[in-house]
Amino acid sequence: MTTETAYAKINLALHVRRRREDGYHELETLFAFVDAGDVLSAAPAAADSVTTLGEFAGGLDNPFDNLVARALTALPRPQGLAVTLDKNLPVAAGLGGGSADAGAVFRIVEALHGLPEDWQARAAKLGADVPACVLSRTHIGLGTGTEQVEVEDDLAGTPVLLVNPRVPLSTGPVFKAWDGEDRGALPEGPASKIAREGRNDLEAPAISLCPVIAEVLAALAETKPWLARMSGSGATCFALYNTPEARDAAAAAMPREWWTMAGRLR
């Protein structure tokens, strides 16, 4: 049995530069990953199969068409894999949950059989965040997010709290609600500087569609983190703290009906 964590993806900063003619958007983002997430277990089998368990398993419309199954199909192997997915991350939440699951499948296959040389192209076909999620380390994403640029990572180990109001928010409508204004490039420097001085250009359009996001950000701001921001296209928000104690106290202060996950940046 091989087990792999699908690390929750967050965007410490997300700058939307322009709409492209192909319908996608030109992005500059600082990806980071939390040391917690969904958990995948895999065992050799005659044929591929996916079993989904956990709190958010019901949020997957069709477990046989989810990104785990598609990632298995995308990778050549000498034998099948029976995969069990423990779905701890909310769906349509700005955490790259499906992409993180696919990334974990790539790492499982890499450990068992190795990956083909063109794995990045195969990953990108599954979704813009999937190549980043295979690596699951702090870096800058350009283009649609698939172009990876190294960054000085001075944030590893930072205590982080994720909060989701249990309201799913699809990515497409949020991008559609973006006002089209280019507010400038990512700052230069180490990850901490980019995070502090950056922004999430999707925050305002997401709040217009899902006003409770503003309540989450306000609740996090009251806990005095050194950074609180929405991740991706929402509705999950994150806060970064100087100590685990401050993070845990913040988690305890959140309304019980909201989903929370505490961890550290990888």
Side-chain angles (χ1 to χ4, degrees), residues 194-226:
I194 297 172
R196 285 181 191 274
E197 298 178 9
R199 58 183 189 273
N200 185 342
D201 287 331
L202 296 180
E203 212 166 86
I207 289 171
S208 73
L209 297 170
C210 183
V212 71
I213 293 170
E215 296 178 32
V216 175
L217 289 169
L220 287 172
E222 288 183 11
T223 68
K224 302 293 191 290
W226 64 261

Side-chain angles (χ1 to χ4, degrees), residues 11 32 44 57 63 68 74 76 78 98 103 120 133 138 183 188 203 212 233:
N11 304 85
V68 172
Q120 285 187 298
C133 289
T138 300
R183 292 171 173 82
E188 294 185 359
E203 212 166 86
V212 71
S233 57

Side-chain angles (χ1 to χ4, degrees), residues 7-10 12 29-34 107 110 119-120 129-141 148-151 153 156 191 265-266:
Y7 303 106
K9 177 269 313 175
I10 57 175
L12 295 176
T29 187
L30 177 59
F31 285 115
F33 293 84
V34 182
R107 293 195 299 277
E110 180 180 33
W119 71 264
Q120 285 187 298
D129 284 352
V130 176
C133 289
V134 175
L135 298 175
S136 285
R137 64 172 183 256
T138 300
H139 69 278
I140 290 170
Q148 296 158 357
V149 178
E150 295 293 322
V151 68
D153 181 14
L265 297 183
R266 298 189 75 234

Side-chain angles (χ1 to χ4, degrees), residues 35-60:
D35 62 358
D38 296 338
V39 178
L40 286 81
S41 303
D48 289 342
S49 65
V50 181
T51 303
T52 308
L53 313 169
E55 181 178 0
F56 295 101
L60 301 175

Side-chain angles (χ1 to χ4, degrees), residues 223-244:
T223 68
K224 302 293 191 290
W226 64 261
L227 179 68
R229 189 168 286 155
M230 189 185 82
S231 178
S233 57
T236 303
C237 301
F238 65 88
L240 303 180
Y241 298 88
N242 291 318
T243 66

Side-chain angles (χ1 to χ4, degrees), residues 91-93 164 166-170 210 234-235:
V91 177
N164 183 281
R166 296 186 184 273
V167 178
L169 185 59
S170 297
C210 183

